[in-house]
Amino acid sequence: MAIIMDGNGRWAEQRGLPRGEGHRVGTTAAQEMVYGALEIGLRHLYSFSTENWKRDTDEVTAIFGAVQRELDEGPIRDLNVRQRWSGRPDKLLRRP
């Protein structure tokens, strides 16, 4: 199942906050999606599209950092949820 996380940065900007704050707040929605997926037995979620790579490097780094913090320190850390990469690994190191 694909989850397209969109609008977090705009949400923050509309409230006079930095875009990164929108991504941080968006992790709450992501947690709910993970819990829901586990509840219905869904094993894989896709959430970072090729369009996201067009964002500013600092923003992409902040998004990945937020995801990693959730997996390492957030409430879902004990649920055996892991981050996996699919697609073109070269894109992880060399962005357009």
Side-chain angles (χ1 to χ4, degrees):
M1 171 178 278
I3 299 166
I4 306 303
M5 301 287 286
D6 189 33
N8 294 323
R10 286 187 301 277
W11 176 89
E13 287 175 344
Q14 290 168 354
R15 287 157 179 78
L17 302 168
R19 290 180 63 83
E21 180 64 13
H23 298 308
R24 189 192 66 74
V25 171
T27 60
T28 300
Q31 288 172 5
E32 292 175 16
M33 287 182 274
V34 169
Y35 285 123
L38 291 171
E39 189 174 305
I40 64 171
L42 189 62
R43 294 181 41 122
H44 304 282
L45 296 172
Y46 170 79
S47 64
F48 201 81
S49 72
T50 54
E51 291 297 310
N52 290 131
W53 288 115
K54 296 176 183 174
R55 296 172 184 260
D56 178 81
T57 301
D58 290 339
E59 188 171 4
V60 171
T61 300
I63 292 168
F64 283 143
V67 169
Q68 195 61 56
R69 276 189 302 283
E70 282 302 309
L71 293 175
D72 291 344
E73 305 163 10
I76 62 172
R77 74 174 175 265
D78 297 326
L79 299 176
N80 197 28
V81 172
R82 288 174 273 157
Q83 182 177 35
R84 302 266 178 145
W85 298 104
S86 177
R88 296 182 52 193
D90 61 307
K91 292 289 186 181
L92 295 174
L93 302 173
R94 190 185 67 223
R95 299 186 334 105

